[in-house]
Each structure stands twice: as structure tokens, then as C-alpha cells.
Amino acid sequence: MKCRGAVLSGAGRSWEIREIDLGPPRAGEVLVQMAVAGICHSDDHYATGDGVAAEHLAAIMATNGIPVPDLYPMLGGHEGAGVVVEAGPGVRSVQPGDRVATSFIPACGSCRWCSSGQSYLCDLGAGTVSKVMTTDGTPRRHLGGEPLTAMTQLGTFAEYLVAAESSVIKIDGDIPFHAGSLVSCGVMTGWGSATVGAGTEAGDTVVVIGVGGVGMNAVQGARAVGAKHVVAVDPVVLKRDSAPSFGATHVVASVEEAAPLVRDLTRGVMADRVVLTPGVVPADLLSPAMMLTRKGGTCVLTGLSRYDELPVPLVLNDMVLSAKQLKGVLGGGMNPRTAMPMLLSMYREGRLKLDELVTRRYRLEELNEAVDDLREGRNIRGLIDFQ
């Protein structure tokens, strides 16, 4: 079938709305008509080139037997929700007519990682940036006869998508599409980073650096599990002004401003947890973030940095002598198949703010405007509305 989708032809380019060809779902796959797609900074990494391995890094990867993905042309989008139109042979968890949210990390349920409760590390995830399906190794998306990469095997910036059953999760029929879309990445990642990843406990002081579509949910998560102080750090006035309504007790514009505030709040002990969720994490942010972290505390790295930022300045003796932990977290360290229903249940009960995260809705044709708004900090979360 043919449908419209947003395609990126290379780093530094704008998104183009093109007619793409989708093959029918095969065994273990579903066809979904999209209703809503979230616009996340992870998609923009491929437009700016931040998510592309530089030449010297590509050489290192090749030397170590790590395949360098053939990224472009790429069909964008990994957050979203819609309705199953068709299910291929063997699909059991969903059927036509079901509402589903996408999962940017597929979960096979049987690999070592899924079996040990770490489905965010599922072996299928290694093949999510590829022109072929994880199900049978053949392409399902084409542009002018050429196979298309789909962002994390999804491509939610299109009217329809074909995905593996492992990449969609059924949601209740009374859940609004925008809520399903939001929990599919940004909300789960932020919430989990502050709760599961950082291990926030009642009475803690938590600093969240970068309070956009991910960080704002780290603020919500930290406050929900009982943090006494939640300090939101962001240079954008809109985000600082919004943060208290999501649970922030204090807001500042920079890490430099956060340091004396946290020192005062904790009588010199410093923060129990620091969560890094800016759209792009500069390498020189790591050292001051670790200095914000108390002895025995945890600094969680959720946001991505540029691929070519290899040297990272850290005071290693401070890490050792103060027993601090710097921890990478993917998907908030949560299992999408349990986390997304849990978060939607909290939303239904009024204990999780989702509607308030949506700053603006766009048509597919307005994607580049939406990306500009993302880059300029004019949105907490923007959505493409296909309805």
C-alpha cells in the first residue's frame, strides 16, 4: 500500500513528506493506522547528525566488528499510537481494531535480557536501526523502490506503519491516543530515570537537568516517590515556569545556579540523585553534574551526546573516594509492557499529568515547524495529529 510519511535523506537535511510503499504485514507483524505521533529529540539526532557515527568512530566500530548502520533515507518517528488494521500470521497479543502504542524497544520475551527483567536491552534492539525487519530480515518499507530505514523499526511519522508484534503494546479503548503516544517513550523514559534508574527514595533531594518532554516526567516521577526537594534546571523560561506544576520545588536556569542552591538545601551534603535529560548532553556537563551528586549518590545519564564526543572530563578520584555512581539508563530502566499500562492507569486515576505535557499539535506537513519549535524550546511535547 502507499501512504505519506516524513523522510530524511541525510544529516543536516529537512524532513520531506513523501509517498512511501509499505508491504503487507508478514508473520509476527502488524499494520497500524497512526492517530498520533510524538516529536522527540531522539528523532532530531538523525537530522542534526548528532546520532551519526563520525568517520573516526565508524572506523573504530568497524575494527571491533560493530556494524555501522546504513541510516538514510530514514522514515522518522518512534513515539505514537494508532489502531491495528491487519495482523499477520502468528500474532496473538493484538487483533484488528485494537488501540496500540508503539514501543521503541521491541521485547521478544525470551532472550537473556527479557528473561531477567531487562527488556530494554532486548537482543532485538540491536537491529532497530535497519532497513530490514527484525522478524525475517527483509525490507517492508520502500521509497521509489529503495528500502527505507524506519526509526527504531517503527516510523511513526507516517499515516501507516508495519511493525513487529514485539514493537506494539495494546492499550485500553478509552485511553486517548495522545496519552498512549506520550507514554511510549518520553514519559516512561523520564519517569523511570528518576524512579527505577536513579532509585529515588522518600526524603531525597533530586536534581533534573533539562526539563523537556523527558525531564519533566523525571520531575513527576521523583516527586511521586517522595522526594523532598526536586530541582528543575533548564535555560528555557517556558520549561522553568511549567516545572512547578509537575512537582518541581525549585527551578534554576543553569547547573552553576543549581550548585549553591543544592548546597543550601542539603546543608552541604549535595543531591542524592542527579538526572541528566537535556536534548543533547554535552560532555563538559558530566563533571559539574557529578559535583552536584553527594557521597554515595547516583548520577543518571539518560540524554544522548554527540557520537563524536569521545573524551569525557571526569574527576575520577572524586568518583572513587566519594563512592559516587555514574549510570547509563535506557528507556528509564523500565519494561515497556508493564510500565506503559501502569503509567496509563495512573493517568486515568489523575496521578500522572499527560494532557499538560502537550504544548501544540501539528499536521504531518508541519513537521519541520514542529522540529524548529523543539530545537528552540517552545514545546514541552509537540504531537503530529493524523486525525
Side-chain angles (χ1 to χ4, degrees), residues 191-207 218 221-230 271-275 294 296-298:
W191 182 280
S193 293
T195 57
V196 178
T200 299
E201 298 177 350
D204 277 354
T205 294
V206 179
V207 179
R223 197 71 171 137
V225 296
K228 180 179 180 180
H229 304 298
V230 181
D272 301 282
R273 327 286 168 181
V274 176
V275 183
R294 67 159 168 81
T298 302

Side-chain angles (χ1 to χ4, degrees), residues 8-32:
L8 194 64
S9 59
R13 309 285 182 86
S14 296
W15 295 94
E16 299 177 78
I17 308 306
R18 304 289 298 274
E19 185 177 77
I20 63 174
D21 292 298
L22 288 180
R26 298 184 184 177
E29 300 172 2
V30 293
L31 173 68
V32 177

Side-chain angles (χ1 to χ4, degrees), residues 108-124:
C108 69
S110 59
C111 70
R112 169 185 176 180
W113 314 107
C114 287
S115 300
S116 60
Q118 296 174 289
S119 61
Y120 50 88
L121 294 176
C122 177
D123 285 338
L124 291 179

Side-chain angles (χ1 to χ4, degrees), residues 34-90:
M34 295 304 300
V36 171
I39 302 160
C40 179
H41 215 117
S42 296
D43 298 292
D44 198 39
H45 286 313
Y46 294 102
T48 61
D50 291 339
V52 182
E55 186 175 345
H56 65 286
L57 180 57
I60 294 171
M61 292 170 68
T63 300
N64 287 277
I66 302 172
V68 180
D70 180 16
L71 295 173
Y72 306 106
M74 173 182 282
L75 179 63
H78 63 286
E79 275 192 6
V83 176
V84 175
V85 176
E86 184 181 348

Side-chain angles (χ1 to χ4, degrees), residues 71-346:
L71 295 173
Y72 306 106
M74 173 182 282
L75 179 63
H78 63 286
E79 275 192 6
V83 176
V84 175
V85 176
E86 184 181 348
V91 172
R92 294 180 296 176
S93 63
V94 295
Q95 61 184 0
D98 285 345
R99 290 192 178 205
V100 294
T102 57
S103 175
F104 73 98
I105 305 170
C108 69
S110 59
C111 70
R112 169 185 176 180
W113 314 107
C114 287
S115 300
S116 60
Q118 296 174 289
S119 61
Y120 50 88
L121 294 176
C122 177
D123 285 338
L124 291 179
T128 56
V129 184
S130 172
K131 288 184 165 61
V132 298
M133 302 291 288
T134 57
T135 49
D136 65 2
T138 64
R140 209 72 74 245
R141 314 164 188 96
H142 293 83
L143 176 67
E146 180 182 2
L148 273 172
T149 298
M151 178 70 174
T152 66
Q153 285 282 336
L154 289 167
T156 60
F157 293 169
E159 295 166 322
Y160 291 84
L161 65 78
V162 174
E165 179 185 11
S166 57
S167 292
V168 298
I169 295 173
K170 183 180 177 179
I171 60 176
D172 291 342
D174 64 337
I175 295 293
F177 287 116
H178 71 271
S181 176
L182 289 166
V183 300
S184 70
C185 174
V187 174
M188 178 179 66
T189 298
W191 182 280
S193 293
T195 57
V196 178
T200 299
E201 298 177 350
D204 277 354
T205 294
V206 179
V207 179
V208 181
I209 302 175
V211 287
V214 174
M216 201 67 82
N217 298 295
V219 169
Q220 289 204 77
R223 197 71 171 137
V225 296
K228 180 179 180 180
H229 304 298
V230 181
V231 180
V233 182
D234 204 293
V236 178
V237 174
L238 166 68
K239 296 174 183 178
R240 293 202 304 275
D241 288 347
S242 300
S245 68
F246 289 90
T249 58
H250 302 77
V251 295
V252 293
S254 67
V255 175
E256 290 73 22
E257 291 179 48
L261 170 63
V262 172
R263 191 174 297 113
D264 182 60
L265 290 173
T266 62
R267 299 182 181 181
V269 173
M270 304 309 284
D272 301 282
R273 327 286 168 181
V274 176
V275 183
L276 299 178
T277 47
V280 180
V281 180
D284 59 10
L285 180 60
L286 269 291
S287 185
M290 290 296 287
M291 291 300 176
L292 276 173
T293 308
R294 67 159 168 81
K295 294 179 182 179
T298 302
C299 181
V300 167
L301 178 59
T302 297
L304 296 174
S305 62
R306 289 184 54 88
Y307 256 117
D308 58 1
E309 284 203 311
L310 298 181
V312 177
L314 285 173
V315 182
L316 297 181
N317 284 347
D318 176 60
M319 288 185 68
V320 175
L321 298 176
S322 296
K324 297 180 183 179
Q325 184 176 29
L326 176 60
K327 181 179 182 181
V329 172
L330 178 62
M334 303 189 86
N335 177 349
R337 292 202 175 274
T338 56
M340 289 164 62
M342 177 200 74
L343 292 167
L344 289 172
S345 176
M346 293 179 66

